[in-house]
Structure formats: C-alpha cells, structure tokens
Amino acid sequence: MARIFKWLFGGSSAGEDRVEKDARREPRGWSEPEPDSDPDPDPDPEIVRTSDLSLPEQNYFIQLERLTTSVSAQNYPAAAAAARASLPLLRNWLKDPRGDGLRLDIRIPALSQGGTMMAITGDNEGLVELRKLVQDFDHLKDYREEAEEHFSDLELFNRIRSVIRSKPGVLQNRMKAELDIEDGRRASRLVSYLEKNGEVQRAKSGNTYELYMAGVAMPEAAVETIYTEPDNPGSHRRETRGTHPRELDLKRVSIVPLPPSPNAWDQSVDLPVTNEAFEDPESAWQEIIVEPIAKDDRPDPAFRRHYSTRGGTLSFDDLAKSDASLGAPGAVMFTNAKGQPGKTVPLRRAPSRISVHPEGEGFAILSRSNVLTVYGGDLKVDFETDLESAPEVAANRDRLGLAESEAHRALRCIALTPERDRYLFTHVDEAWCIGRDGKRLWGLRMPASEPTRIRVGGEAFATAAEIDEALEVLGLEMPVTPDEIRKRYRQLARELHPDLNPGNEEPMKAVNVASERLTGLDPEQLDGSGGGEGGFEIVISLGLAGQADWIYAAAFSGTGETALLGTYAGRVVRVDRVGIPTTIYDVGSMPVRIIETEAYLYVMTTTRLYVLDGDHLVALEDCSAKCDLLVSGGMVLLVENKGVRTFTEDGRPLGIALTKAPIRRAYVDSEELFIETRTQCGRFRSIRSAPERA
C-alpha cells in the first residue's frame, strides 16, 4: 500500500494526523539531479474511493491518473486538459464546510506539474483558474508562489521558442543570457519540456546543445549528433498467445514479517558535513591517502548510475551527456575491480530500466519503446526482443482494461540471470520468466489489493536504534527470525501479563511496543492478547489497475536459480526456478532495489536497508532516499552525494567516509575503499575489523 501514501500524502497534517512525506524517487547513483532529467512523475497513481471529506471525490483521482499517464506518454495537451478538469473538483472539495478540520494535506499534481502543462500548451485561462483556486483557499496556500511561476513559465516558453526560431543553433547554455534570467537550470528544464513535446531538437555540441525548432533544416554535423532509434527488432518469442499465470496465494507461502519501513523519515537521515577533502570521522581507517586525478583520468559525471558486477563496475550515462553518447541515447563504461576504466561504448537504445546482476557479466536495458536489449560481458549486443508484443502483455492489458498507450508505464521491471540464459519482465502485477530461446518458463500474478484499513502513526515505525532497543527489551539480538521474536513475545506475555501478575502494566506495554516494532504486527496478531496504541486509520479501496499490487523491483538470486519480486505493498516474493513462490519478506513499503549474492539478500526501500540470511534478519540500517547501494569487494556501500557508509557483507558497520566535494565514483579494491571526486581520489586504507556477532 505504499503507493497510497506516496500519492496522497505529501506533507503533514496537524497534531497526530501527521503522515509520511512523499519519497517518490528511484536511486540514481549519487550525482546531483540533472537540469534536463526526465521531468515525468511516477506514472502510477492509484484510483481512490473515499466516503468521507478528508480526500477529494473519486472523479479527481480519475483526472489525476489521466494527468500523470498523459505526461508519461508526452501528450502534454491531454495532460493540461486533465489538470484543468480537476480544478473545479478540488474547489468543490474545499468549499464544503463539512470537511473543515478533516481534510488531509495531500500532494496535488494538478497545481504543480499540471500548471506546467497548461503553461507549455498556452492555456492562460486555465492558469487564471488555478491562481484563483489557490488564492481562495488557505488549504492551498503553499501552492501560491508556484501558481505565479506558471505564468512566468508560460511567458518563458514563448520566449524560448522565439529565440530558437530567430537564432537556429543557439546554444542551450546561452539561453539564460538570451532570456535575461538568473536561473539557467530553469531555462534548461523548460527546453527539455519543449523537446519532449516535439517542438525542439537538441544537437550535442561540446558540453551543451545546439537548439533547433522541429522541422527546421539542420547542419549535417548537427544531425549526426541526434539519436535516431533503430528499427523494432520484433519478438524472439515462441508463443503467440498468452496464458494464465500462477496467482500468489498468501495463505500457502511462508511470510517473514520484518521491522516495517516507513515511506519517509520524520527527520532526514543525513551524514555529517566536512570541510576536509576527505574525512574519517569515526577513525575507522588507519590512514587516508589523497591523490590528484589527472585531467584525462577524471570520472565523467555523465556516468551517474553505477552497478557492481563479478569483475568490476558498470557505469551508465543514461541522459546522453558524455562524448561517447554522441549520436546515441547514452553510453556504458566498465571499470575493473582496481578502478581502472576500460571500454566505453554507446548504447543501442534509450534506457528506461537497467538490470545488472552482481554475480554475472553483461547487462540488460529496457528501452523507452519497450525493447529489451541484452549485452554480453564485452558490452556488445547479445540479443533483442520487443516486450510490448509479448502475448502475456496483451492478455494482461486486456484483463486490466489498459490502453496500449500505457504500455510504457505498465512494463516496470526487468532482470537477468548471471549466465544470461533467462530473463524476466513485469507488467503491472505479473512477472514472466522467459528463456534465452524465447520459451515461456513461468508466470506469477500478485493478488489484488482488497479494501484495506491502513494504520498511520503508532509504534510500528522505528529507527534502527529503536529496533536495537526493542531487541534488548525482548532479550534478543541479531541475527533473529520472526519465529524467535514470536516465541519470546509469548513467553514474556505469560510472565508479565497484568491479569496474572498485577503491577506489570508498563513492562507489558514495553514488550508490546517492542514486538510491534520488530514485526509490524499488532501484539494481538502475535498472541491474541493486547493491541497496538496510538495512530489512526484510513479506509481506502482501489479500482481497476489500481487494485493490482504493482511489481516495482525484480532480481535473480546470486546463483540465478530463484527470482525475487518487490511489490508496492512492501512484499518481496521469492520464486523458485519453476515459478512457485516459496517465501515472502514483508518490509512494509515499496522496495526500490533488491540484490542477492550467493551469501546474503539485500532489500532496500527509500528509508531502510535490510540484510537477510535465509529467514534471519542479520542487519538493518536506516538510509535516505538519496543513496545508492553497492555490494563490492567484500563490502556493502551506501553511497550518498558526499559520503559513504561501509559495512561487512553481513551488515556490520565498518565506518563512514566523508567528502567535501560530490562523489563521482566509489569502489573497493583489496579491502581498501576508493572515493573519487571530480579532481581527487581518497584512498581509505587498513580498515578496522567489525565486531563479531555473538
């Protein structure tokens, strides 16, 4: 149910009605966001039916879905129309006096991205209506400044068009001066929207772009820098008809409840700040050696997504900003275990999803046109297939009533085995495993989400430190299994229950809180006695594709024998080689990254990293949404913009390495940590040993 919170709750209500803030980001390495990164929002809104006045009526959420899917399809006129159609629905919601004091603070994309859509399509009347709406209701006061910016954007869009028409080939980094504005990133963002709207073409020119209006004759040298997608390769599939997948039966699979992960922390989990080029604040290493990086050897910040493999690291330029991507939609670079850059090659198709197996060679990319391209260890194309034409996709689309235009958002995940002999893809709530020869091996569908009472607040969400305290209350320590927690809880409940031993009310409450923090379950679910305290509940139900538990993360195990599927409901489902679900790890919110080596399973959400050995929770670490996970050289790295937290493979903390400048690349060689910024490399040598587990 994590998507509900992501889409509905973007801030905090007063008092006890505070809910998690929006944490709608996928990990993109540790680089700062690019000004012309894909501006599309997460294209998977829920359809929400509500009978109270805390949320807008059903029709608003229908328009929200139209807005976000239209933006994803780059149909900006349709997106603007959906945003404008939602404005009177919002007004009706806010003017009803019965809702005073009940309304939840929710994200309203119609007032933010919807306003941008109206600006690019020139809908001045819609913007006037938007401005009046946010001025009329204090509930929307946070949007007032942004509403004025939309009018400015409308003017800037027209001025950008005028500049490009009058000066074909004008450089994008000159647009700030041409428009006489202070914010160059804003100009780049608007140019990116115009490109996605099909109005502008950008030709790579050094570190910037030459800009041309669509349809205008361009110099041949400029044309050669613009990527043109190759022809569709067709499908390599044997089957031409879909079949029914196996449906996950929650009652027939072992469930491992884990300490639940919130969608966002009340207070961000930030590393300390340093003024030193490199710093070891915990004295975890014996020495730091700092060396300048020769200009020709400096890491290119265009390669911003990093994945560990058996032999080194694959780094991707997914925005086509590097020289290697000239005339291509992006590039990939391989760096060996010693940090020595090797081959850099252009990608064949524009990447939408990337899959790299930590124990294998090569990688797979799902293009924005839904073509799966598999590359070998030599970075050459191994094979391609059109996933959109897969019979399973057509069958599931018909089942859910999805339009063909929604295929891009519905195909969410890909994964590859270490040997590249099998791959899997997911479409909404279904996962399909296919052989290299095109033979369908298995399919699995997640169960539909039923109308659910969602508890917000209370004692269930805890920090890693509070988890340690909860273990201490129960007299346990990691590694620990849910069965051990359950048995220990029942033992303590018999010893401390106030009905049997009066005066133990407070110790019993502490045990209840501890067990809930460790499992996410109310005590009554553990023992049939007692119950959780605090918080409140929201009752929601979903419709059509919104009922589906969308699969958002997927990976094959370290050996490639099993698959792991992470869903919006916070489940990680292990599936054996023939497609039978064997275990469900319940982490409480949407996983964004799953990695399994031959030894350990790593599950990462936007707030937490779990380390598991079978059913044993070995370690748990809080993290921010802005960090990336690398498992390399016998260490686990949580890499942020200006710092790296290091752990043993089983999750024991080793130390923190900080930098003053943004990190471009981090890797481990011979148990030494290397961190590269733009101009320097910090070599953290001779790390102390982590404490042994009891």
Side-chain angles (χ1 to χ4, degrees):
M1 305 306 293
R3 295 164 68 201
I4 301 300
F5 292 111
K6 288 203 306 170
W7 274 98
L8 298 187
F9 308 122
S12 298
S13 301
E16 295 182 351
D17 287 358
R18 190 169 42 115
V19 293
E20 282 69 33
K21 297 180 180 179
D22 177 41
R24 192 177 44 80
R25 282 172 292 207
E26 294 184 34
R28 293 179 174 268
W30 46 84
S31 301
E32 289 294 328
E34 299 292 337
D36 55 353
S37 299
D38 188 348
D40 296 350
D42 185 327
D44 303 322
E46 298 284 3
I47 302 294
V48 182
R49 295 190 179 94
T50 173
S51 58
D52 59 40
L53 297 170
S54 62
L55 298 172
E57 62 179 277
Q58 168 75 7
N59 286 338
Y60 164 76
F61 293 99
I62 292 175
Q63 295 301 330
L64 171 59
E65 182 174 30
R66 289 173 180 168
L67 166 63
T68 54
T69 55
S70 296
V71 171
S72 178
Q74 297 177 15
N75 184 349
Y76 293 170
R84 187 169 179 182
S86 69
L87 299 181
L89 302 174
L90 290 168
R91 180 174 290 277
N92 290 339
W93 173 50
L94 293 168
K95 74 180 183 181
D96 190 334
R98 295 175 299 167
D100 293 345
L102 299 176
R103 298 184 184 93
L104 295 173
D105 290 335
I106 63 173
R107 293 176 59 251
I108 305 181
L111 305 181
S112 49
Q113 181 127 41
T116 302
M117 296 295 98
M118 286 187 254
I120 196 173
T121 56
D123 186 0
N124 188 76
E125 293 182 358
L127 291 180
V128 170
E129 185 178 353
L130 188 156
R131 172 198 275 166
K132 190 172 189 314
L133 177 67
V134 300
Q135 289 176 342
D136 287 349
F137 298 97
D138 285 343
H139 192 81
L140 304 179
K141 61 184 178 182
D142 291 342
Y143 291 94
R144 288 172 184 170
E145 182 178 350
E146 191 172 10
E148 298 306 317
E149 290 178 355
H150 293 321
F151 283 96
S152 177
D153 283 348
L154 188 152
E155 178 189 3
L156 286 174
F157 276 128
N158 288 331
R159 291 173 60 194
I160 291 171
R161 294 179 181 110
S162 178
V163 170
I164 299 174
R165 287 193 188 99
S166 63
K167 299 180 179 180
V170 63
L171 297 179
Q172 181 171 307
N173 63 4
R174 286 284 307 159
M175 193 58 67
K176 172 183 173 180
E178 294 286 347
L179 299 173
D180 191 23
I181 62 174
E182 295 295 326
D183 191 350
R185 294 176 67 87
R186 183 181 183 187
S188 295
R189 180 177 65 88
L190 298 184
V191 167
S192 178
Y193 272 114
L194 289 171
E195 181 188 39
K196 292 176 181 296
N197 200 36
E199 298 184 58
V200 168
Q201 294 189 86
R202 298 193 300 175
K204 186 75 173 176
S205 178
N207 293 325
T208 186
Y209 298 92
E210 296 175 6
L211 305 178
Y212 300 87
M213 296 302 294
V216 172
M218 300 168 56
E220 185 175 345
V223 172
E224 291 176 353
T225 71
I226 297 178
Y227 165 68
T228 301
E229 184 169 2
D231 292 338
N232 191 303
S235 176
H236 77 140
R237 296 293 309 285
R238 292 183 179 185
E239 299 88 359
T240 58
R241 293 185 179 182
T243 187
H244 293 294
R246 183 190 306 272
E247 184 154 345
L248 174 64
D249 185 347
L250 299 176
K251 296 179 180 179
R252 300 174 66 89
V253 182
S254 172
I255 297 179
V256 180
L258 297 169
S261 172
N263 297 310
W265 293 113
D266 293 335
Q267 296 181 346
S268 59
V269 182
D270 295 325
L271 291 176
V273 176
T274 182
N275 290 320
E276 302 293 330
F278 298 91
E279 184 183 354
D280 172 13
E282 299 177 345
S283 300
W285 289 268
Q286 292 184 13
E287 65 175 329
I288 305 174
I289 299 174
V290 180
E291 299 174 340
I293 302 176
K295 186 174 181 180
D296 292 341
D297 296 332
R298 291 176 182 174
D300 186 345
F303 291 86
R304 62 178 193 150
R305 294 193 176 187
H306 309 272
Y307 300 84
S308 300
T309 70
R310 182 185 300 161
T313 301
L314 286 169
S315 301
F316 292 86
D317 165 23
D318 60 325
L319 295 178
K321 287 184 168 293
S322 64
D323 291 339
S325 66
L326 198 66
V332 59
M333 174 178 64
F334 178 75
T335 305
N336 67 19
K338 296 185 178 296
Q340 299 168 333
K343 184 183 297 185
T344 300
V345 301
L347 297 174
R348 181 171 174 79
R349 299 180 188 273
S352 174
R353 321 284 181 200
I354 300 172
S355 175
V356 177
H357 198 290
E359 302 290 349
E361 295 180 337
F363 60 96
I365 279 180
L366 179 64
S367 75
R368 295 172 186 171
S369 57
N370 294 319
V371 172
L372 176 71
T373 305
V374 176
Y375 294 76
D378 57 2
L379 306 188
K380 294 181 180 179
V381 174
D382 188 2
F383 74 95
E384 292 191 301
T385 185
D386 179 10
L387 292 186
E388 192 171 343
S389 65
E392 299 84 9
V393 169
N396 203 34
R397 191 169 56 223
D398 291 344
R399 177 179 71 91
L400 297 171
L402 295 175
E404 290 189 20
S405 61
E406 298 178 279
H408 175 68
R409 76 184 185 103
L411 282 160
R412 298 297 301 175
C413 305
I414 55 172
L416 198 62
T417 62
E419 305 302 325
R420 305 192 305 281
D421 60 333
R422 285 164 288 139
Y423 67 88
L424 69 81
F425 68 88
T426 71
H427 184 267
V428 188
D429 56 348
E430 294 183 355
W432 295 91
C433 184
I434 310 296
R436 170 66 178 83
D437 59 359
K439 181 181 179 181
R440 180 170 52 222
L441 301 177
W442 56 260
L444 180 68
R445 180 185 297 160
M446 300 298 141
S449 301
E450 298 295 334
T452 306
R453 290 185 176 272
I454 298 179
R455 187 176 176 199
V456 182
E459 305 289 354
F461 296 138
T463 65
E466 290 169 332
I467 294 297
D468 289 340
E469 292 174 4
L471 286 169
E472 186 175 348
V473 167
L474 296 185
L476 299 171
E477 59 185 20
M478 292 187 190
V480 66
T481 66
D483 281 344
E484 290 169 345
I485 294 171
R486 185 178 291 107
K487 289 178 182 178
R488 181 59 175 162
Y489 171 80
R490 289 173 177 170
Q491 177 187 350
L492 291 174
R494 287 193 296 269
E495 295 175 0
L496 299 174
H497 200 288
D499 290 348
L500 301 177
N501 298 285
N504 284 327
E505 287 80 7
E506 289 304 314
M508 188 67 235
K509 180 179 178 180
V511 168
N512 284 341
V513 169
S515 63
E516 186 176 358
R517 285 177 171 176
L518 292 172
T519 64
L521 303 175
D522 290 337
E524 60 186 5
Q525 295 174 278
L526 289 167
D527 194 39
S529 62
E533 297 185 10
F536 69 99
E537 291 183 337
I538 298 173
V539 181
I540 55 178
S541 62
L542 314 175
L544 302 176
Q547 284 186 313
D549 187 7
W550 288 54
I551 302 170
Y552 200 82
F556 279 99
S557 66
T559 61
E561 287 300 300
T562 64
L564 295 138
L565 306 171
T567 77
Y568 281 107
R571 302 184 184 109
V572 177
V573 184
R574 184 181 294 279
V575 187
D576 71 14
R577 190 181 178 101
V578 296
I580 298 175
T582 60
T583 309
I584 296 173
Y585 306 94
D586 188 353
V587 298
S589 69
M590 178 187 69
V592 295
R593 192 84 179 270
I594 301 172
I595 296 176
E596 185 168 55
T597 64
E598 293 190 9
Y600 297 101
L601 169 63
Y602 305 90
V603 177
M604 188 176 183
T605 71
T606 54
T607 56
R608 182 160 278 169
L609 172 66
Y610 300 82
V611 184
L612 293 118
D613 180 4
D615 290 352
H616 287 79
L617 178 63
V618 175
L620 178 148
E621 289 293 330
D622 300 338
C623 63
S624 73
K626 292 184 178 180
C627 72
D628 196 15
L629 170 65
L630 287 178
V631 181
S632 174
M635 289 188 191
V636 176
L637 309 182
L638 286 178
V639 186
E640 300 192 30
N641 186 41
K642 295 183 179 181
V644 179
R645 285 192 285 163
T646 62
F647 306 87
T648 60
E649 284 187 302
D650 62 354
R652 287 170 291 153
L654 290 172
I656 297 174
L658 302 178
T659 65
K660 181 179 179 180
I663 296 172
R664 301 300 192 199
R665 183 168 59 190
Y667 57 92
V668 176
D669 178 27
S670 301
E671 299 185 349
E672 294 183 359
L673 173 66
F674 290 77
I675 299 178
E676 296 180 358
T677 62
R678 187 176 67 88
T679 59
Q680 294 179 304
C681 175
R683 182 179 176 187
F684 292 71
R685 299 188 61 191
S686 303
I687 195 167
R688 62 175 169 79
S689 298
E692 294 295 329
R693 295 194 187 280

